[in-house]
Amino acid sequence: MVATSISNSDSGDKGQSETFERNSYSEKKVGNDVHGIAERGHIATDTHGGSLIHIDPEAERKLRKKLDWMICPTVSILYLFCFIDRTNIGNARLAGLEKDLGLVGDGYNALLSIFYISYIVFEIPCNLVCKWIGPGWFLPACSLGFGITSLGTAFVHDSASASGVRFLLGIFEAGMLPGTAYYLSRWFRRSELTFRISLFIVMAPLAGAFGGLLASGILTLDHFGSLHSWRMIFAIEGIITISLSIIAFFTLTDRPETARWLSQAEKDLAIARIKSERMGQTSVLDKPSKKKLWLGFWNPIVISTAFLFLLNNITVQGLAFFTPTIVATIFPDKTTVEKQLLTVPPYILGAIFVIATSLASWRYDRRAIFIAISAPLTMVGYALFLGSDDPRVRYAAAFLTAISAFSLGTLSNAQTSAVVVSDSSRSIAIATNAMFGNFGGLIATWSYLPFDAPDFKIGNGLNLGTASLILVISIGQMLWMAWDNKKRETRDIEAELQKFSPEEIESLEWKHPGFRWRP
């Protein structure tokens, strides 16, 4: 048995049992096992959000291990090449892209901006489509699209055609980050989600490291077919992405019900354990409603966390696009390949820190405190960029910024998922976070301008300011959540819920009187 009875004899609370029966869409009482909870039409929480079911920890551990091996590797590899295909333009720049395309002045920055315009516009629509058709099909389709687009970049010959290709790349990549985070939320608990998101988010710094190594290796080739120099980078990396996408169509499972590698008991457990954290929900995959979608967006912690991600992404995307340029100004006498290789170590250290932070978040089921403590190292790093002309000090500063900046992508997506209730609100909350973040990416494309080289005081000063704001806002966010939770303790939950039908209760989201913020 993997579950115990959920009758009121377990909880000793007749009110809980009555509330459970009143809020179920079905007239029959839920059974005493996981299968009963997993069935559509039954809730798995009491009015305080507590679970009405006890799950065997050993059975859950075995299931979680299987989910980790069957889901996380595929999405992580897809996101690795998603980020490589997005940021390889920085490596191509060192190999002569600007000269070959006739980009002068701020032409390179304008080319980067085109990508973010389509990315921002299509972010939320893409995640709604992802929920509609299912991530198991949507994510490989997006990956295939940006792989083809990356390949196409190898054949552009002017800024106009390059801009068109980058606009298409933004459309295809718009669904990857929020879609993958949303996909993982179908399988993993709130506390588990931070670490699982980190397993694909960590591919962002690894893409900087691996992308630099791959670009260095590709540039040692004389040619790839008829292509030379930077064009080989886009072509070879695009072909790799296309191949991986085709494989993903066959390996990425959409949801527990369709997982052929799970037994029926494991499918029921996978559904029940997620439902047991979703207050008042009768199904894990609900039908979208305007109210749920609106409350998923208009949520004070979702909005504030998304703004934190915007600030952070100015740093992250700035590092991705301009670390090669910064390294080139620090080490002007190095060869192109040597400059590419020098961009790698900061990303490796950043990736290690992402995993360490997410493991701590999983251990303590906390996210906001780790967002706050990520900021000071970034502040120190950019203070060193601004305060020193010594190349060794500036290179060390790149390590400090990479260590702290990348972890917030994992934490912010996990936090926006943790402070909503239904699957519909979660899909739009995560997309909102990603959309705000890409406003930060758009700002980043104009933070390191040619006339500001080699010190880049504008870009470094901007990032020092954003890191300082992250520290202040994240502390304020934690204080507000504690204050609001304390205020909610005075509410009469049972009396307030009497005014609503079961369908209305299911749509209350963070306005449910029993809801508590989880920092």
Side-chain angles (χ1 to χ4, degrees):
M1 293 292 289
V2 293
T4 61
S5 172
I6 59 168
S7 66
N8 59 353
S9 61
D10 283 327
S11 62
D13 188 342
K14 182 179 179 181
Q16 279 191 2
S17 178
E18 291 173 348
T19 302
F20 174 77
E21 292 178 2
R22 183 174 67 249
N23 287 301
S24 174
Y25 284 114
S26 173
E27 291 297 324
K28 66 178 183 179
K29 191 174 182 178
V30 174
N32 293 337
D33 59 7
V34 167
H35 181 72
I37 287 288
E39 287 184 333
R40 182 179 292 270
H42 300 292
I43 61 174
T45 65
D46 59 29
T47 55
H48 296 268
S51 176
L52 289 170
I53 184 173
H54 173 72
I55 294 175
D56 177 9
E58 181 61 22
E60 187 173 22
R61 185 192 66 80
K62 291 179 179 179
L63 173 66
R64 186 169 56 241
K65 183 177 181 180
K66 183 178 284 191
L67 298 180
D68 282 336
W69 282 108
M70 297 303 294
I71 293 171
C72 295
T74 299
V75 296
S76 296
I77 292 171
L78 287 180
Y79 192 72
L80 170 66
F81 279 89
C82 164
F83 212 82
I84 286 176
D85 288 346
R86 179 195 310 181
T87 60
N88 55 13
I89 193 170
N91 301 110
R93 185 187 194 187
L94 288 181
L97 175 139
E98 281 183 292
K99 180 180 177 181
D100 291 348
L101 295 183
L103 301 176
V104 295
D106 57 8
Y108 177 72
N109 303 78
L111 184 60
L112 297 182
S113 299
I114 293 294
F115 168 85
Y116 281 104
I117 291 172
S118 55
Y119 204 137
I120 291 167
V121 169
F122 287 93
E123 198 90 61
I124 290 178
C126 276
N127 225 35
L128 295 178
V129 172
C130 179
K131 176 175 173 59
W132 177 49
I133 69 174
W137 294 99
F138 180 79
L139 295 177
C142 285
S143 180
L144 180 62
F146 62 69
I148 293 171
T149 306
S150 181
L151 176 60
T153 310
F155 299 95
V156 301
H157 292 280
D158 53 46
S159 61
S161 56
S163 296
V165 170
R166 293 291 292 183
F167 186 86
L168 288 175
L169 187 68
I171 295 174
F172 289 120
E173 291 206 15
M176 282 303 296
L177 172 60
T180 304
Y182 163 67
Y183 174 60
L184 293 175
S185 74
R186 288 185 167 191
W187 300 87
F188 294 101
R189 286 182 180 270
R190 179 187 64 250
S191 60
E192 301 165 353
L193 191 59
T194 306
F195 178 65
R196 275 71 194 181
I197 290 177
S198 79
L199 294 179
F200 82 86
I201 290 287
V202 77
M203 295 300 156
L206 286 182
F210 181 62
L213 292 172
L214 186 57
S216 300
I218 291 172
L219 290 174
T220 62
L221 301 175
D222 291 330
H223 62 89
F224 180 68
S226 62
L227 302 174
H228 300 271
S229 187
W230 60 269
R231 298 182 186 276
M232 297 189 298
I233 297 175
F234 289 107
I236 293 174
E237 292 177 356
I239 290 171
I240 294 172
T241 303
I242 291 169
S243 303
L244 292 171
S245 304
I246 294 171
I247 295 171
F249 276 111
F250 300 97
T251 60
L252 201 62
T253 304
D254 191 67
R255 57 192 184 277
E257 295 94 318
T258 61
R260 287 175 290 182
W261 39 272
L262 291 178
S263 67
Q264 185 58 51
E266 289 172 327
K267 291 178 182 179
D268 292 338
L269 177 57
I271 297 168
R273 74 194 201 104
I274 300 301
K275 191 189 286 188
S276 69
E277 291 190 328
R278 299 189 177 181
M279 180 183 292
Q281 301 300 299
T282 59
S283 62
V284 172
L285 303 182
D286 61 332
K287 184 178 180 181
S289 70
K290 291 181 179 179
K291 185 173 182 180
K292 287 182 180 180
L293 293 174
W294 171 247
L295 291 177
F297 170 79
W298 195 247
N299 177 313
I301 300 302
V302 168
I303 294 293
S304 57
T305 301
F307 184 67
L308 291 174
F309 191 37
L310 182 157
L311 297 171
N312 173 255
N313 228 27
I314 297 174
T315 299
V316 170
Q317 300 302 330
L319 282 172
F321 287 124
F322 294 102
T323 294
T325 302
I326 293 171
V327 168
T329 62
I330 296 174
F331 303 103
D333 298 328
K334 300 289 186 181
T335 67
T336 298
V337 171
E338 287 174 329
K339 292 173 185 175
Q340 302 277 11
L341 293 174
L342 283 167
T343 65
V344 173
Y347 288 108
I348 296 295
L349 192 59
I352 293 170
F353 196 84
V354 168
I355 296 296
T357 303
S358 63
L359 282 171
S361 174
W362 180 14
R363 169 68 177 81
Y364 296 104
D365 192 14
R366 292 291 183 270
R367 291 147 295 276
I369 184 61
F370 294 104
I371 292 175
I373 63 178
S374 72
L377 281 178
T378 306
M379 294 164 63
V380 172
Y382 282 105
L384 290 175
F385 271 130
L386 288 167
S388 176
D389 295 325
D390 187 330
R392 291 169 296 181
V393 172
R394 288 188 167 188
Y395 191 51
F399 283 85
L400 289 175
T401 54
I403 282 174
S404 53
F406 285 103
S407 61
L408 203 143
T410 295
L411 295 165
S412 65
N413 280 286
Q415 181 70 329
T416 52
S417 178
V419 297
V420 294
V421 179
S422 69
D423 188 71
S424 293
S425 62
R426 186 165 285 101
S427 68
I428 199 165
I430 293 173
T432 299
N433 186 62
M435 181 185 71
F436 272 65
N438 284 298
F439 275 110
L442 180 60
I443 296 169
T445 63
W446 294 96
S447 61
Y448 289 87
L449 300 168
F451 71 81
D452 201 30
D455 293 329
F456 295 109
K457 291 185 177 180
I458 295 174
N460 293 329
L462 174 64
N463 281 297
L464 176 59
T466 59
S468 303
L469 272 175
I470 287 171
L471 180 62
V472 172
I473 294 172
S474 58
I475 291 174
Q477 190 185 62
M478 286 188 290
L479 293 174
W480 183 86
M481 282 191 281
W483 172 79
D484 194 58
N485 280 344
K486 187 175 181 179
K487 190 172 70 170
R488 286 169 179 262
E489 294 294 339
T490 63
R491 299 173 68 173
D492 187 338
I493 298 174
E494 297 294 337
E496 290 190 40
L497 291 180
Q498 292 289 345
K499 300 180 292 184
F500 301 104
S501 67
E503 293 87 350
E504 290 172 328
I505 291 173
E506 199 168 1
S507 298
L508 286 175
E509 294 291 329
W510 58 274
K511 294 192 174 184
H512 190 294
F515 179 86
R516 297 294 183 272
W517 302 107
R518 300 182 182 275

